[in-house]
Amino acid sequence: MRFISPALRPQTRDLIVEASAKNDDGALKPGMFATVEAELGEREAFLVPEEAVVADPRGAFVWRIGPDDGAERVSVEVGARDGTRVEVRADLHAGDRIVSAGTHKVREGEKVTPVAATV
């Protein structure tokens, strides 16, 4: 594989893949379509709402609500997106509370009033 699109197209639920294959007999022609089955495997990923990821000149980050309800900036590396959620690689753990609304109003160390959300 040379390229795999990071997300499915919402209308067709397919994705773009670019691959190379041997074609010694010349049977494959430019523009031909193929149906391919591929086992891609599974991996665990930490997903947050798109709205939770903020970017500034220092890079991408999320606001984590600390145990004292203070805002903590956590730098993230952004991965795959599915249209509503984004994979992030960072020092985050299951159960961490992440700010997903009003992120532009938050400042480091400020108290944040958590609001219960249903997912």
Side-chain angles (χ1 to χ4, degrees):
M1 298 281 176
R2 294 192 325 200
F3 170 80
I4 299 176
S5 175
L8 294 175
R9 294 187 286 191
Q11 296 82 7
T12 58
R13 304 233 1 110
D14 65 355
L15 58 84
I16 296 173
V17 174
E18 184 178 309
S20 56
K22 289 188 175 198
N23 190 25
D24 296 334
D25 63 357
L28 299 175
K29 306 290 183 214
M32 293 179 82
F33 288 89
T35 300
V36 178
E37 286 187 31
E39 188 172 315
L40 301 177
E42 294 181 11
R43 64 185 168 98
E44 289 192 22
F46 196 88
L47 303 172
V48 298
E50 284 271 357
E51 301 82 20
V53 179
V54 184
D56 70 9
R58 293 189 289 166
F61 66 96
V62 298
W63 291 112
R64 174 174 44 206
I65 303 171
D68 63 348
D69 291 337
E72 303 171 348
R73 179 187 172 116
V74 179
S75 295
V76 298
E77 181 182 330
V78 176
R81 299 173 187 263
D82 73 0
T84 60
R85 300 174 303 173
V86 60
E87 173 189 7
V88 292
R89 290 180 284 284
D91 183 24
L92 296 171
H93 308 283
D96 281 352
R97 298 176 300 162
I98 305 298
V99 176
S100 62
T103 56
H104 62 287
K105 299 177 185 177
V106 179
R107 300 290 176 259
E108 184 79 35
E110 269 187 358
K111 296 286 184 192
V112 177
T113 304
V115 177
T118 56
V119 180

Tab-separated table of all heavy atoms in Angstrom, residues 45-100:
chain	number	residue	atom	x	y	z
A	45	ALA	N	-7.525	3.397	20.324
A	45	ALA	CA	-7.300	4.808	20.059
A	45	ALA	C	-8.088	5.630	21.065
A	45	ALA	O	-9.135	5.220	21.534
A	45	ALA	CB	-7.735	5.159	18.637
A	46	PHE	N	-7.561	6.792	21.405
A	46	PHE	CA	-8.227	7.714	22.301
A	46	PHE	C	-8.913	8.753	21.428
A	46	PHE	O	-8.247	9.475	20.687
A	46	PHE	CB	-7.201	8.367	23.236
A	46	PHE	CG	-7.821	9.025	24.428
A	46	PHE	CD1	-8.063	8.307	25.582
A	46	PHE	CD2	-8.161	10.365	24.387
A	46	PHE	CE1	-8.637	8.903	26.687
A	46	PHE	CE2	-8.728	10.976	25.480
A	46	PHE	CZ	-8.972	10.247	26.637
A	47	LEU	N	-10.248	8.812	21.481
A	47	LEU	CA	-11.021	9.717	20.640
A	47	LEU	C	-11.640	10.823	21.476
A	47	LEU	O	-12.143	10.575	22.572
A	47	LEU	CB	-12.131	8.963	19.912
A	47	LEU	CG	-11.701	7.795	19.029
A	47	LEU	CD1	-12.911	7.036	18.525
A	47	LEU	CD2	-10.856	8.282	17.874
A	48	VAL	N	-11.610	12.043	20.940
A	48	VAL	CA	-12.265	13.183	21.574
A	48	VAL	C	-13.117	13.883	20.516
A	48	VAL	O	-12.870	13.738	19.316
A	48	VAL	CB	-11.246	14.172	22.189
A	48	VAL	CG1	-10.428	13.512	23.282
A	48	VAL	CG2	-10.347	14.778	21.127
A	49	PRO	N	-14.128	14.663	20.934
A	49	PRO	CA	-14.908	15.423	19.950
A	49	PRO	C	-14.018	16.395	19.185
A	49	PRO	O	-13.066	16.953	19.755
A	49	PRO	CB	-15.924	16.187	20.814
A	49	PRO	CG	-15.963	15.469	22.114
A	49	PRO	CD	-14.598	14.860	22.302
A	50	GLU	N	-14.312	16.596	17.897
A	50	GLU	CA	-13.544	17.546	17.066
A	50	GLU	C	-13.409	18.902	17.761
A	50	GLU	O	-12.357	19.529	17.719
A	50	GLU	CB	-14.230	17.751	15.707
A	50	GLU	CG	-14.065	16.625	14.739
A	50	GLU	CD	-12.832	16.755	13.868
A	50	GLU	OE1	-12.104	17.754	13.969
A	50	GLU	OE2	-12.599	15.830	13.087
A	51	GLU	N	-14.506	19.352	18.395
A	51	GLU	CA	-14.536	20.673	19.017
A	51	GLU	C	-13.557	20.805	20.179
A	51	GLU	O	-13.228	21.905	20.607
A	51	GLU	CB	-15.945	20.996	19.539
A	51	GLU	CG	-17.019	20.978	18.478
A	51	GLU	CD	-17.533	19.564	18.162
A	51	GLU	OE1	-17.361	18.641	18.993
A	51	GLU	OE2	-18.083	19.384	17.081
A	52	ALA	N	-13.103	19.678	20.739
A	52	ALA	CA	-12.208	19.715	21.895
A	52	ALA	C	-10.771	20.039	21.513
A	52	ALA	O	-9.992	20.494	22.344
A	52	ALA	CB	-12.253	18.377	22.636
A	53	VAL	N	-10.412	19.810	20.250
A	53	VAL	CA	-9.026	20.033	19.817
A	53	VAL	C	-8.851	21.491	19.411
A	53	VAL	O	-9.576	22.013	18.575
A	53	VAL	CB	-8.641	19.096	18.655
A	53	VAL	CG1	-7.211	19.359	18.202
A	53	VAL	CG2	-8.814	17.646	19.064
A	54	VAL	N	-7.880	22.129	20.039
A	54	VAL	CA	-7.577	23.543	19.803
A	54	VAL	C	-6.175	23.613	19.215
A	54	VAL	O	-5.322	22.788	19.538
A	54	VAL	CB	-7.631	24.337	21.132
A	54	VAL	CG1	-7.418	25.817	20.899
A	54	VAL	CG2	-8.939	24.079	21.870
A	55	ALA	N	-5.939	24.597	18.354
A	55	ALA	CA	-4.600	24.773	17.782
A	55	ALA	C	-4.168	26.222	17.947
A	55	ALA	O	-4.982	27.145	17.839
A	55	ALA	CB	-4.588	24.381	16.317
A	56	ASP	N	-2.907	26.411	18.237
A	56	ASP	CA	-2.307	27.744	18.299
A	56	ASP	C	-0.873	27.611	17.789
A	56	ASP	O	-0.472	26.518	17.364
A	56	ASP	CB	-2.429	28.348	19.703
A	56	ASP	CG	-1.558	27.676	20.759
A	56	ASP	OD1	-0.703	26.830	20.416
A	56	ASP	OD2	-1.721	28.005	21.945
A	57	PRO	N	-0.085	28.678	17.802
A	57	PRO	CA	1.278	28.582	17.272
A	57	PRO	C	2.151	27.515	17.942
A	57	PRO	O	3.113	27.037	17.353
A	57	PRO	CB	1.849	29.984	17.498
A	57	PRO	CG	0.655	30.878	17.459
A	57	PRO	CD	-0.439	30.077	18.112
A	58	ARG	N	1.805	27.109	19.165
A	58	ARG	CA	2.585	26.072	19.852
A	58	ARG	C	2.139	24.666	19.480
A	58	ARG	O	2.780	23.699	19.863
A	58	ARG	CB	2.492	26.249	21.367
A	58	ARG	CG	3.172	27.521	21.845
A	58	ARG	CD	3.259	27.582	23.347
A	58	ARG	NE	1.945	27.794	23.923
A	58	ARG	CZ	1.652	27.621	25.207
A	58	ARG	NH1	2.570	27.220	26.050
A	58	ARG	NH2	0.434	27.843	25.651
A	59	GLY	N	1.040	24.533	18.747
A	59	GLY	CA	0.570	23.215	18.320
A	59	GLY	C	-0.834	22.900	18.778
A	59	GLY	O	-1.520	23.726	19.371
A	60	ALA	N	-1.254	21.665	18.521
A	60	ALA	CA	-2.593	21.214	18.884
A	60	ALA	C	-2.615	20.790	20.354
A	60	ALA	O	-1.638	20.248	20.872
A	60	ALA	CB	-3.018	20.052	17.998
A	61	PHE	N	-3.768	21.028	21.000
A	61	PHE	CA	-3.905	20.650	22.403
A	61	PHE	C	-5.376	20.516	22.766
A	61	PHE	O	-6.250	20.917	21.995
A	61	PHE	CB	-3.227	21.677	23.323
A	61	PHE	CG	-3.864	23.044	23.314
A	61	PHE	CD1	-4.790	23.399	24.282
A	61	PHE	CD2	-3.527	23.974	22.348
A	61	PHE	CE1	-5.373	24.664	24.273
A	61	PHE	CE2	-4.095	25.233	22.332
A	61	PHE	CZ	-5.029	25.584	23.299
A	62	VAL	N	-5.629	19.933	23.919
A	62	VAL	CA	-6.963	19.894	24.507
A	62	VAL	C	-6.856	20.452	25.921
A	62	VAL	O	-5.773	20.493	26.512
A	62	VAL	CB	-7.573	18.468	24.554
A	62	VAL	CG1	-7.750	17.911	23.148
A	62	VAL	CG2	-6.736	17.530	25.407
A	63	TRP	N	-7.990	20.893	26.450
A	63	TRP	CA	-8.063	21.329	27.840
A	63	TRP	C	-8.591	20.176	28.659
A	63	TRP	O	-9.699	19.701	28.440
A	63	TRP	CB	-8.982	22.530	28.005
A	63	TRP	CG	-8.476	23.800	27.409
A	63	TRP	CD1	-8.994	24.453	26.335
A	63	TRP	CD2	-7.377	24.586	27.857
A	63	TRP	NE1	-8.272	25.585	26.079
A	63	TRP	CE2	-7.271	25.698	27.005
A	63	TRP	CE3	-6.457	24.451	28.905
A	63	TRP	CZ2	-6.288	26.674	27.153
A	63	TRP	CZ3	-5.480	25.423	29.061
A	63	TRP	CH2	-5.404	26.521	28.196
A	64	ARG	N	-7.789	19.696	29.619
A	64	ARG	CA	-8.233	18.669	30.555
A	64	ARG	C	-8.657	19.386	31.838
A	64	ARG	O	-8.000	20.329	32.267
A	64	ARG	CB	-7.112	17.682	30.847
A	64	ARG	CG	-7.477	16.675	31.934
A	64	ARG	CD	-6.436	15.594	32.156
A	64	ARG	NE	-5.073	16.113	32.196
A	64	ARG	CZ	-4.007	15.384	31.874
A	64	ARG	NH1	-4.125	14.132	31.486
A	64	ARG	NH2	-2.798	15.904	31.926
A	65	ILE	N	-9.748	18.928	32.437
A	65	ILE	CA	-10.192	19.484	33.707
A	65	ILE	C	-9.547	18.659	34.809
A	65	ILE	O	-9.790	17.457	34.929
A	65	ILE	CB	-11.724	19.451	33.831
A	65	ILE	CG1	-12.362	20.205	32.658
A	65	ILE	CG2	-12.159	20.052	35.162
A	65	ILE	CD1	-13.861	20.055	32.564
A	66	GLY	N	-8.694	19.301	35.588
A	66	GLY	CA	-7.965	18.616	36.644
A	66	GLY	C	-8.849	18.291	37.839
A	66	GLY	O	-10.017	18.681	37.894
A	67	PRO	N	-8.286	17.597	38.839
A	67	PRO	CA	-9.050	17.185	40.013
A	67	PRO	C	-9.614	18.366	40.804
A	67	PRO	O	-10.626	18.242	41.475
A	67	PRO	CB	-8.057	16.385	40.859
A	67	PRO	CG	-6.750	16.465	40.174
A	67	PRO	CD	-6.909	17.130	38.865
A	68	ASP	N	-8.958	19.542	40.704
A	68	ASP	CA	-9.447	20.739	41.400
A	68	ASP	C	-10.323	21.593	40.487
A	68	ASP	O	-10.596	22.750	40.792
A	68	ASP	CB	-8.263	21.563	41.913
A	68	ASP	CG	-7.387	22.087	40.778
A	68	ASP	OD1	-7.552	21.643	39.610
A	68	ASP	OD2	-6.529	22.946	41.049
A	69	ASP	N	-10.762	21.027	39.361
A	69	ASP	CA	-11.570	21.698	38.330
A	69	ASP	C	-10.820	22.810	37.609
A	69	ASP	O	-11.415	23.640	36.938
A	69	ASP	CB	-12.901	22.229	38.888
A	69	ASP	CG	-13.858	21.110	39.252
A	69	ASP	OD1	-13.711	20.002	38.699
A	69	ASP	OD2	-14.749	21.336	40.090
A	70	GLY	N	-9.487	22.822	37.722
A	70	GLY	CA	-8.679	23.791	36.994
A	70	GLY	C	-8.342	23.266	35.604
A	70	GLY	O	-8.191	22.063	35.394
A	71	ALA	N	-8.224	24.174	34.642
A	71	ALA	CA	-7.921	23.802	33.262
A	71	ALA	C	-6.440	23.505	33.095
A	71	ALA	O	-5.594	24.281	33.547
A	71	ALA	CB	-8.335	24.917	32.315
A	72	GLU	N	-6.133	22.378	32.459
A	72	GLU	CA	-4.754	21.987	32.181
A	72	GLU	C	-4.602	21.806	30.673
A	72	GLU	O	-5.357	21.068	30.049
A	72	GLU	CB	-4.429	20.650	32.857
A	72	GLU	CG	-4.639	20.620	34.342
A	72	GLU	CD	-4.513	19.214	34.927
A	72	GLU	OE1	-4.478	18.222	34.164
A	72	GLU	OE2	-4.459	19.119	36.165
A	73	ARG	N	-3.618	22.474	30.098
A	73	ARG	CA	-3.338	22.325	28.667
A	73	ARG	C	-2.565	21.026	28.467
A	73	ARG	O	-1.545	20.801	29.115
A	73	ARG	CB	-2.512	23.510	28.174
A	73	ARG	CG	-2.158	23.425	26.706
A	73	ARG	CD	-1.189	24.543	26.341
A	73	ARG	NE	-0.697	24.370	25.005
A	73	ARG	CZ	-0.916	25.220	24.005
A	73	ARG	NH1	-1.584	26.329	24.215
A	73	ARG	NH2	-0.436	24.977	22.798
A	74	VAL	N	-3.060	20.169	27.551
A	74	VAL	CA	-2.382	18.910	27.237
A	74	VAL	C	-2.103	18.886	25.738
A	74	VAL	O	-3.030	18.867	24.926
A	74	VAL	CB	-3.247	17.683	27.629
A	74	VAL	CG1	-2.537	16.391	27.261
A	74	VAL	CG2	-3.593	17.715	29.115
A	75	SER	N	-0.828	18.920	25.366
A	75	SER	CA	-0.454	18.854	23.950
A	75	SER	C	-0.853	17.503	23.381
A	75	SER	O	-0.729	16.479	24.052
A	75	SER	CB	1.045	19.051	23.781
A	75	SER	OG	1.414	20.348	24.192
A	76	VAL	N	-1.352	17.504	22.137
A	76	VAL	CA	-1.786	16.267	21.491
A	76	VAL	C	-1.209	16.174	20.091
A	76	VAL	O	-0.912	17.180	19.453
A	76	VAL	CB	-3.332	16.151	21.408
A	76	VAL	CG1	-3.958	16.122	22.775
A	76	VAL	CG2	-3.929	17.255	20.561
A	77	GLU	N	-1.066	14.956	19.641
A	77	GLU	CA	-0.744	14.674	18.245
A	77	GLU	C	-2.043	14.163	17.638
A	77	GLU	O	-2.634	13.203	18.134
A	77	GLU	CB	0.340	13.608	18.156
A	77	GLU	CG	0.743	13.267	16.744
A	77	GLU	CD	1.790	12.165	16.714
A	77	GLU	OE1	2.585	12.055	17.665
A	77	GLU	OE2	1.776	11.407	15.724
A	78	VAL	N	-2.509	14.818	16.594
A	78	VAL	CA	-3.794	14.486	15.985
A	78	VAL	C	-3.630	13.336	15.003
A	78	VAL	O	-2.677	13.303	14.221
A	78	VAL	CB	-4.382	15.724	15.273
A	78	VAL	CG1	-5.666	15.382	14.547
A	78	VAL	CG2	-4.609	16.846	16.277
A	79	GLY	N	-4.561	12.398	15.055
A	79	GLY	CA	-4.540	11.249	14.152
A	79	GLY	C	-5.750	11.256	13.236
A	79	GLY	O	-6.160	12.303	12.740
A	80	ALA	N	-6.354	10.100	13.058
A	80	ALA	CA	-7.483	9.933	12.147
A	80	ALA	C	-8.710	10.692	12.649
A	80	ALA	O	-8.902	10.876	13.845
A	80	ALA	CB	-7.810	8.449	11.996
A	81	ARG	N	-9.546	11.109	11.708
A	81	ARG	CA	-10.804	11.812	12.008
A	81	ARG	C	-11.949	11.055	11.364
A	81	ARG	O	-11.776	10.466	10.307
A	81	ARG	CB	-10.776	13.232	11.452
A	81	ARG	CG	-9.687	14.092	12.037
A	81	ARG	CD	-9.618	15.444	11.314
A	81	ARG	NE	-8.484	16.220	11.734
A	81	ARG	CZ	-8.531	17.176	12.649
A	81	ARG	NH1	-9.676	17.479	13.216
A	81	ARG	NH2	-7.454	17.835	12.993
A	82	ASP	N	-13.120	11.115	11.998
A	82	ASP	CA	-14.284	10.473	11.390
A	82	ASP	C	-15.422	11.450	11.134
A	82	ASP	O	-16.539	11.062	10.864
A	82	ASP	CB	-14.765	9.277	12.230
A	82	ASP	CG	-15.452	9.685	13.523
A	82	ASP	OD1	-15.576	10.901	13.795
A	82	ASP	OD2	-15.874	8.782	14.268
A	83	GLY	N	-15.155	12.733	11.222
A	83	GLY	CA	-16.181	13.737	10.961
A	83	GLY	C	-16.726	14.368	12.230
A	83	GLY	O	-17.097	15.533	12.247
A	84	THR	N	-16.782	13.624	13.321
A	84	THR	CA	-17.250	14.173	14.590
A	84	THR	C	-16.231	13.984	15.705
A	84	THR	O	-16.241	14.709	16.688
A	84	THR	CB	-18.574	13.521	15.041
A	84	THR	OG1	-18.375	12.116	15.195
A	84	THR	CG2	-19.678	13.777	14.021
A	85	ARG	N	-15.370	12.996	15.539
A	85	ARG	CA	-14.350	12.707	16.559
A	85	ARG	C	-12.978	12.684	15.911
A	85	ARG	O	-12.849	12.457	14.717
A	85	ARG	CB	-14.622	11.353	17.212
A	85	ARG	CG	-15.962	11.281	17.908
A	85	ARG	CD	-16.256	9.898	18.399
A	85	ARG	NE	-16.206	8.949	17.278
A	85	ARG	CZ	-16.288	7.638	17.400
A	85	ARG	NH1	-16.415	7.090	18.582
A	85	ARG	NH2	-16.242	6.851	16.357
A	86	VAL	N	-11.981	12.902	16.746
A	86	VAL	CA	-10.599	12.877	16.261
A	86	VAL	C	-9.760	12.037	17.226
A	86	VAL	O	-9.947	12.089	18.436
A	86	VAL	CB	-10.034	14.312	16.101
A	86	VAL	CG1	-10.028	15.061	17.408
A	86	VAL	CG2	-8.647	14.303	15.493
A	87	GLU	N	-8.879	11.253	16.656
A	87	GLU	CA	-7.949	10.460	17.451
A	87	GLU	C	-6.828	11.379	17.927
A	87	GLU	O	-6.297	12.163	17.151
A	87	GLU	CB	-7.368	9.335	16.603
A	87	GLU	CG	-6.268	8.560	17.269
A	87	GLU	CD	-5.556	7.597	16.339
A	87	GLU	OE1	-5.813	7.611	15.124
A	87	GLU	OE2	-4.714	6.837	16.848
A	88	VAL	N	-6.504	11.287	19.216
A	88	VAL	CA	-5.385	12.060	19.733
A	88	VAL	C	-4.436	11.134	20.474
A	88	VAL	O	-4.851	10.179	21.121
A	88	VAL	CB	-5.841	13.214	20.660
A	88	VAL	CG1	-6.591	14.275	19.889
A	88	VAL	CG2	-6.652	12.718	21.830
A	89	ARG	N	-3.158	11.428	20.338
A	89	ARG	CA	-2.134	10.715	21.084
A	89	ARG	C	-1.530	11.732	22.043
A	89	ARG	O	-1.024	12.774	21.617
A	89	ARG	CB	-1.099	10.137	20.128
A	89	ARG	CG	-1.677	8.982	19.297
A	89	ARG	CD	-0.674	8.392	18.332
A	89	ARG	NE	-0.420	9.185	17.144
A	89	ARG	CZ	-1.240	9.280	16.102
A	89	ARG	NH1	-2.390	8.645	16.109
A	89	ARG	NH2	-0.918	9.999	15.053
A	90	ALA	N	-1.672	11.425	23.335
A	90	ALA	CA	-1.224	12.368	24.360
A	90	ALA	C	-1.222	11.673	25.708
A	90	ALA	O	-1.564	10.497	25.813
A	90	ALA	CB	-2.161	13.578	24.389
A	91	ASP	N	-0.880	12.433	26.722
A	91	ASP	CA	-0.905	11.934	28.095
A	91	ASP	C	-2.326	12.070	28.635
A	91	ASP	O	-2.597	12.864	29.532
A	91	ASP	CB	0.091	12.728	28.951
A	91	ASP	CG	0.166	12.196	30.378
A	91	ASP	OD1	-0.160	11.003	30.586
A	91	ASP	OD2	0.541	12.967	31.271
A	92	LEU	N	-3.254	11.324	28.052
A	92	LEU	CA	-4.657	11.309	28.460
A	92	LEU	C	-5.032	9.894	28.849
A	92	LEU	O	-4.443	8.933	28.362
A	92	LEU	CB	-5.564	11.785	27.325
A	92	LEU	CG	-5.385	13.235	26.872
A	92	LEU	CD1	-6.189	13.502	25.616
A	92	LEU	CD2	-5.786	14.202	27.983
A	93	HIS	N	-6.030	9.778	29.699
A	93	HIS	CA	-6.464	8.467	30.185
A	93	HIS	C	-7.981	8.386	30.195
A	93	HIS	O	-8.660	9.415	30.315
A	93	HIS	CB	-5.905	8.223	31.591
A	93	HIS	CG	-4.431	8.430	31.687
A	93	HIS	ND1	-3.527	7.510	31.220
A	93	HIS	CD2	-3.698	9.477	32.147
A	93	HIS	CE1	-2.306	7.971	31.399
A	93	HIS	NE2	-2.380	9.163	31.955
A	94	ALA	N	-8.515	7.188	30.097
A	94	ALA	CA	-9.959	6.989	30.188
A	94	ALA	C	-10.434	7.609	31.494
A	94	ALA	O	-9.798	7.459	32.537
A	94	ALA	CB	-10.287	5.500	30.146
A	95	GLY	N	-11.523	8.345	31.426
A	95	GLY	CA	-12.061	9.009	32.603
A	95	GLY	C	-11.628	10.458	32.733
A	95	GLY	O	-12.201	11.206	33.530
A	96	ASP	N	-10.602	10.889	31.964
A	96	ASP	CA	-10.218	12.299	31.987
A	96	ASP	C	-11.383	13.136	31.483
A	96	ASP	O	-12.090	12.741	30.552
A	96	ASP	CB	-8.990	12.557	31.102
A	96	ASP	CG	-7.686	12.157	31.754
A	96	ASP	OD1	-7.698	11.810	32.948
A	96	ASP	OD2	-6.650	12.191	31.062
A	97	ARG	N	-11.577	14.280	32.079
A	97	ARG	CA	-12.619	15.207	31.647
A	97	ARG	C	-11.986	16.229	30.711
A	97	ARG	O	-11.003	16.880	31.064
A	97	ARG	CB	-13.263	15.886	32.847
A	97	ARG	CG	-13.950	14.880	33.766
A	97	ARG	CD	-14.510	15.534	35.013
A	97	ARG	NE	-13.435	16.164	35.783
A	97	ARG	CZ	-13.644	17.083	36.720
A	97	ARG	NH1	-14.858	17.484	37.004
A	97	ARG	NH2	-12.627	17.605	37.392
A	98	ILE	N	-12.560	16.349	29.515
A	98	ILE	CA	-12.019	17.212	28.467
A	98	ILE	C	-13.035	18.297	28.139
A	98	ILE	O	-14.222	18.019	27.999
A	98	ILE	CB	-11.722	16.390	27.187
A	98	ILE	CG1	-10.798	15.221	27.476
A	98	ILE	CG2	-11.169	17.274	26.074
A	98	ILE	CD1	-9.437	15.590	27.980
A	99	VAL	N	-12.571	19.538	27.983
A	99	VAL	CA	-13.447	20.636	27.586
A	99	VAL	C	-13.758	20.493	26.107
A	99	VAL	O	-12.850	20.380	25.281
A	99	VAL	CB	-12.781	22.007	27.858
A	99	VAL	CG1	-13.659	23.141	27.348
A	99	VAL	CG2	-12.478	22.168	29.341
A	100	SER	N	-15.057	20.480	25.757
A	100	SER	CA	-15.426	20.335	24.344
A	100	SER	C	-16.310	21.476	23.851
A	100	SER	O	-16.705	21.486	22.690
A	100	SER	CB	-16.131	18.995	24.115
A	100	SER	OG	-17.320	18.930	24.864
